[in-house]
Amino acid sequence: MNTEKNYLTFALAKGRLANKTLALLEELGISCEEMKDPKTRKLIFVNEEWRFRFFLAKGPDVPTYVEYGAADVGVAGRDTVLEENRNVYEVLDLGFGKCRMCVCGPGSARDLLLHHERIRVASKYPNIAKEYFYNKKHQTVDIIKLNGSVELGPLVGLSDVIVDIVETGSTLRENGLDVLEEVCGLSARMIVNPVAMQMERARIQELVLALREKITLNEAAKAERQGL
Ligand code: PRP
């Protein structure tokens, strides 16, 4: 056990992304038994062998912890990383949590998009929506921030379209909405505090390389299983 090293602190977006990240780390022999206890009320967990410290946070708070250096490393969805737009380095695509950020709405809204009408856009991601419409499409729109169940927007007449995450597409289908445009692809990302990147470069690079190798191997094995 190396007690001279500083702890490297990880903020993980709680839920599926944290579970998948911990499973991937475990494949590298980095485990955190304490964290698996579903009854635990502890907030911070330590792996002494690696001098790693983990805590779980709400997704949108992960980039905040990392920017301020309260965590050296974070794992959150690309949606969150883009929306929060914090001063952090994105170092790795973890390959899971894959989905798409899309403009969605009723088929009738296609024309409004095509003709660059001044439409109302509801989204949990106002910054991503703004970047897409203003800077990429050069379309002036009114953006309305919602906190969830965004598909309601066009259904109850709050907005013409939404900018939201599409994974399986079933929420859209069940509500008679379509993907109208794709904004970008999404997946879990590893982010790093810029100072930590300087101070702990070797340890972080070693971890990123090991993870990248493992992800590539897992993807190759998956493709082989699927006969690709
Ligand atoms: C997300 C997203 C969509 C849905 C997409 O919502 O905002 O509503 O999942 O998934 P699908 O394409 O597989 O149907 P989430 O469940 O996180 O809840 P929210 O609507 O309250 O944000």
Side-chain angles (χ1 to χ4, degrees):
M1 197 181 300
N2 185 347
T3 47
E4 284 129 52
K5 279 194 214 166
N6 289 325
Y7 283 113
L8 206 60
T9 302
F10 291 70
L12 308 177
K14 63 170 110 175
R16 219 157 32 141
L17 293 192
N19 294 341
K20 289 211 165 193
T21 305
L22 291 168
L24 190 61
L25 288 169
E26 198 149 345
E27 288 185 56
L28 296 179
I30 305 167
S31 65
C32 206
E33 294 303 318
E34 289 179 299
M35 232 167 165
K36 293 182 193 156
D37 176 1
K39 286 191 297 241
T40 187
R41 307 293 291 173
K42 272 183 89 164
L43 295 172
I44 299 174
F45 304 89
V46 174
N47 176 308
E48 285 298 346
E49 186 191 345
W50 287 75
R51 301 287 285 173
F52 285 173
R53 207 158 63 147
F54 300 93
F55 66 85
L56 302 180
K58 282 260 187 193
D61 293 338
V62 167
T64 312
Y65 284 110
V66 175
E67 180 180 272
Y68 285 93
D72 303 299
V73 180
V75 173
R78 184 176 184 227
D79 50 321
T80 305
V81 176
L82 290 173
E83 180 63 24
E84 294 299 313
N85 195 22
R86 296 278 178 177
N87 179 26
V88 296
Y89 293 149
E90 191 185 306
V91 295
L92 185 66
D93 179 348
L94 289 156
F96 50 76
K98 279 192 184 153
C99 46
R100 299 179 296 154
M101 185 67 73
C102 298
V103 180
C104 313
S108 57
R110 272 182 215 284
D111 273 355
L112 303 174
L113 291 168
L114 200 66
H115 299 121
H116 281 58
E117 303 273 354
R118 181 162 186 152
I119 52 171
R120 288 204 281 189
V121 180
S123 186
K124 235 162 80 168
Y125 303 92
N127 293 327
I128 293 177
K130 194 170 161 196
E131 167 69 24
Y132 179 71
F133 279 102
Y134 280 74
N135 297 339
K136 199 162 172 201
K137 290 199 72 191
H138 305 292
Q139 179 173 358
T140 304
V141 297
D142 296 315
I143 293 167
I144 304 168
K145 159 97 197 236
L146 286 179
N147 292 297
S149 303
V150 179
E151 290 82 0
L152 275 172
L155 297 181
V156 300
L158 175 72
S159 68
D160 299 291
V161 297
I162 60 173
V163 168
D164 200 20
I165 291 173
V166 179
E167 193 179 351
T168 61
S170 58
T171 312
L172 291 179
R173 268 194 303 279
E174 287 183 29
N175 291 290
L177 303 173
D178 296 320
V179 169
L180 304 175
E181 289 174 0
E182 182 168 323
V183 176
C184 62
L186 304 170
S187 57
R189 300 298 158 105
M190 181 169 275
I191 54 174
V192 175
N193 171 275
V195 178
M197 197 65 196
Q198 298 277 324
M199 308 296 284
E200 298 282 357
R201 182 175 292 276
R203 285 172 83 193
I204 292 171
Q205 274 183 344
E206 187 192 354
L207 178 68
V208 169
L209 277 178
L211 285 168
R212 191 173 286 143
E213 214 169 287
K214 183 53 87 186
I215 293 162
T216 309
L217 282 173
N218 288 350
E219 277 173 3
K222 192 174 162 193
E224 202 176 301
R225 276 198 308 276
Q226 293 172 339
L228 296 174

